[in-house]
Amino acid sequence: VQFRRDLERSYQIQQGKSYLVVKDPVTRRYFRFTQAQATLIELFVETPESVEVIAERASEKLNSSVSPATIEAFCKSLEEKFLLETPAVREKLAAVSGQRLDARSSFLYWKVGSIDPAKIFDWLVSRTTWAFTPAFQTLALFIIITGFAITYSNWKSLSGQAPALFSLYGLILIWPVVFTVTTIHEFSHGLTCRHYGGKVQEVGFMLIYFSPAFYCDVSDSYMFPKRTHRMAVGLAGGFAQLTVWGICTIIWRVTDSSAFINQLALIVVVFSGLQTLFNFNPLIKLDGYYMLS
């Protein structure tokens, strides 16, 4: 029995319990194992041994009787996940190389197209280190709070101007503005994942509940040992979008209502605000859902 050598492993502690997270770089799937299962996997990583020998060693490490039948059942489970080094697994991996086995489109989550953004993030990551400094994050938080204060104190004026956005001219402006803000949102997820050492292998376009949306695959954050880093990746998009929303709220308040920049800012205030609330809803498989999980 031999565990695949190319698999990446991350040992983590959650709520006082130890877990092992395994990443398959070929199928780009992630698996989480309990401490007892991780002990067995460590034995599989070592020099290949028979099921009987592994059962004996596992009994010693776990201070509990582990039968060969239990080892065989666990091996079968690992082989079904393509995690063991066997001829059958190698053959299957050759057939699915580069495919996301767990990323099938569904009726409500339909992927339209995607690209590998590695070069884009390689260029951006060294140029956005300022975004992770305490000074910038404090400033961003102040901007967000200011945005909420302005929205609360100018609610009647804001709600009175919003219907005008649904004119033909307003609808023409909405799409490029929303596209820009959404791009900032998704790239913030990716840059945060890269900042903490993860990889971003896919960004693309999809339909979520029949609505057009962008996505950024930050599944590599599952490998981060620190929970705060994993949560930061989930929070980054909404935080960046709220920061942009706060800036535009200030611009909307200090500029004349007939000015072009005022109309652009109003679009961000209305649609970015609503989109952020939608993203943080934990009942939908978006940012709020993944942060809660």
Side-chain angles (χ1 to χ4, degrees):
V1 180
Q2 177 68 58
F3 206 59
R4 280 174 50 199
R5 298 286 188 181
D6 61 329
L7 299 175
E8 299 176 24
R9 291 172 289 159
S10 173
Y11 293 89
Q12 303 174 8
I13 297 178
Q14 296 182 25
Q15 298 180 342
K17 296 182 180 180
S18 298
Y19 295 95
L20 170 64
V21 178
V22 175
K23 173 187 175 181
D24 185 341
V26 178
T27 62
R28 290 158 63 184
R29 292 191 296 176
Y30 299 79
F31 306 91
R32 191 172 75 160
F33 298 96
T34 64
Q35 185 173 3
Q37 292 172 328
T39 300
L40 297 180
I41 289 175
E42 288 172 2
L43 295 174
F44 297 156
V45 172
E46 298 171 1
T47 305
E49 298 285 359
S50 65
V51 170
E52 290 74 15
V53 172
I54 291 178
E56 183 179 347
R57 292 184 177 179
S59 299
E60 294 176 358
K61 287 197 171 188
L62 297 174
N63 295 319
S64 178
S65 178
V66 179
S67 67
T70 300
I71 300 298
E72 288 180 355
F74 187 52
C75 287
K76 183 178 180 182
S77 173
L78 294 178
E79 188 170 15
E80 290 174 349
K81 296 178 174 66
F82 304 166
L83 300 181
L84 291 185
E85 188 64 52
T86 66
V89 169
R90 284 197 297 270
E91 183 178 347
K92 292 176 181 177
L93 287 177
V96 302
S97 180
Q99 299 180 25
R100 286 291 302 273
L101 298 185
D102 62 337
R104 303 185 185 110
S105 295
S106 67
F107 186 65
L108 298 178
Y109 290 83
W110 179 33
K111 289 189 176 182
V112 179
S114 64
I115 62 171
D116 183 348
K119 292 183 178 180
I120 299 175
F121 281 107
D122 287 342
W123 187 85
L124 285 174
V125 71
S126 62
R127 293 169 171 79
T128 53
T129 53
W130 50 268
F132 300 94
T133 61
F136 173 79
Q137 292 170 7
T138 301
L139 175 62
L141 189 59
F142 174 76
I143 290 172
I144 293 171
I145 293 173
T146 302
F148 278 113
I150 292 175
T151 301
Y152 178 78
S153 60
N154 295 270
W155 180 252
K156 287 186 178 180
S157 177
L158 182 61
S159 57
Q161 283 187 251
L165 297 177
F166 294 95
S167 64
L168 178 61
Y169 176 68
L171 292 174
I172 293 174
L173 287 177
I174 285 173
W175 287 108
V177 173
V178 172
F179 173 84
T180 302
V181 174
T182 304
T183 301
I184 293 173
H185 177 110
E186 295 303 330
F187 271 60
S188 296
H189 285 304
L191 286 170
T192 305
C193 184
R194 284 292 306 270
H195 177 73
Y196 290 117
K199 298 177 182 178
V200 180
Q201 296 178 306
E202 185 179 12
V203 295
F205 177 79
M206 68 187 303
L207 296 177
I208 301 178
Y209 296 103
F210 310 108
S211 298
F214 292 96
Y215 71 91
C216 180
D217 183 7
V218 290
S219 301
D220 223 40
S221 62
Y222 293 142
M223 301 295 288
F224 298 163
K226 292 185 177 181
R227 183 174 59 178
T228 53
H229 291 174
R230 296 194 297 272
M231 292 188 69
V233 173
L235 179 64
F239 186 76
Q241 190 163 346
L242 279 175
T243 303
V244 173
W245 170 84
I247 293 172
C248 290
T249 303
I250 296 171
I251 293 174
W252 168 80
R253 181 64 182 84
V254 301
T255 56
D256 187 86
S257 60
S258 61
F260 179 70
I261 191 172
N262 183 276
Q263 297 175 40
L264 291 180
L266 180 62
I267 292 173
V268 177
V269 171
V270 174
F271 288 92
S272 185
L274 292 174
Q275 188 181 41
T276 301
L277 291 176
F278 187 75
N279 275 322
F280 281 139
N281 183 351
L283 301 180
I284 303 173
K285 290 184 72 175
L286 296 173
D287 295 352
Y289 171 89
Y290 289 109
M291 286 184 63
L292 184 63
S293 66

